[in-house]
Amino acid sequence: SPTVAGGAALMRQYFEQGFHPRGQRRAGDRLRPLAATMKAALMNSTLELVNTFLGITQLPSLSTGWGRMYLERDLYFPGDDRLLRVYEREHATGLATGEVHDYPLAHVGAGEPLRVTLAWMDPAGVLGAEFPLVNDLDLELVAPNGDIYYGNALRDPGCLALTCYRPAPPDPCMLPACDPILRLESIANLDDRDRIHSVEAIRILAPQAGAYVLRVRGFSVPGNDRVGSDRQGYGLVVAAAFATPPSTPIAAPTHLSVVQNDLAGIRIG
């Protein structure tokens, strides 16, 4: 829609002009985000959109998708409580089958929802395939107490039979509740892996304070007939109550020398 297109343009400007992650323009912070990063960041900013016809909605849903974007929730400016962190990999440095990328998240605060979105631009699948996903990545979040949250394992905590993508046949859980908004969130240790979609999300409405670990797994990355498609790049974003990065850049190391420069690679010591 025009609103999303305009919002995407503003978000890209926010990254390219160096407002991320400190909320103030800095030339050294300029980022030209990947398409997958933009997709993940836009979807990470959404909230439930009430469907006036059904009188009920959830995030995500077949009728309202991932809801309505609210850029002010995730694009940090001084004084905000929520910050956005971005991790991205191009295809050359992406995941092959069986590989894992870990990203530590220190100093996550309580009192603000924690939202994570992983997105990737999947290679072209086979025409007419029932499930056209080619490269399948898995998103995980390890909490301070060791609980693991899995991408798209979203449920209404009051009715764990309800799934966001694969709703069961008519069921009491599917009927309108007293609250017109079904607030789906990630359930700890509910290992229900998504094998269909190229977007995975984790949503914790009341996170524990402490250190988390974000994990992206290459579950199955066969690629197609294109060279390099057997490695999958991605965009990964997380918004929560973080501490801001230090304003003073870390000093560059000194007294370095090349200790190896051959066919095996380059080593600096």
Side-chain angles (χ1 to χ4, degrees), residues 129-203:
E130 181 179 6
F131 300 110
L133 187 68
V134 176
N135 290 343
D136 187 3
L137 305 183
D138 284 336
L139 174 63
E140 300 175 7
L141 179 68
V142 183
N145 65 353
D147 284 344
I148 302 178
Y149 297 86
Y150 297 93
N152 288 351
L154 299 164
R155 300 288 189 278
D156 176 358
C159 182
L160 296 183
L162 178 63
T163 64
C164 61
Y165 285 115
R166 298 176 291 280
D171 179 279
C173 300
M174 299 298 292
L175 299 177
C178 296
D179 183 351
I181 296 179
L182 293 179
R183 299 192 182 279
L184 301 186
E185 60 178 307
S186 300
I187 304 299
N189 305 311
L190 181 61
D191 190 357
D192 183 14
R193 308 296 179 107
D194 187 327
R195 300 290 174 235
I196 302 175
H197 301 91
S198 59
V199 174
E200 295 198 3
I202 292 172
R203 185 191 196 197

Side-chain angles (χ1 to χ4, degrees), residues 75-127:
L75 299 187
Y76 173 78
F77 289 97
D80 291 348
D81 295 324
R82 290 170 60 81
L83 281 82
L84 183 73
R85 293 189 182 178
V86 174
Y87 309 91
E88 60 179 22
R89 295 287 187 112
E90 296 184 350
H91 291 309
T93 58
L95 287 164
T97 299
E99 292 184 343
V100 178
H101 291 162
D102 280 357
Y103 302 94
L105 298 175
H107 309 299
V108 176
E112 281 288 329
L114 189 156
R115 180 88 172 265
V116 186
T117 303
L118 168 71
W120 64 97
M121 312 309 285
D122 197 47
V126 177
L127 185 65

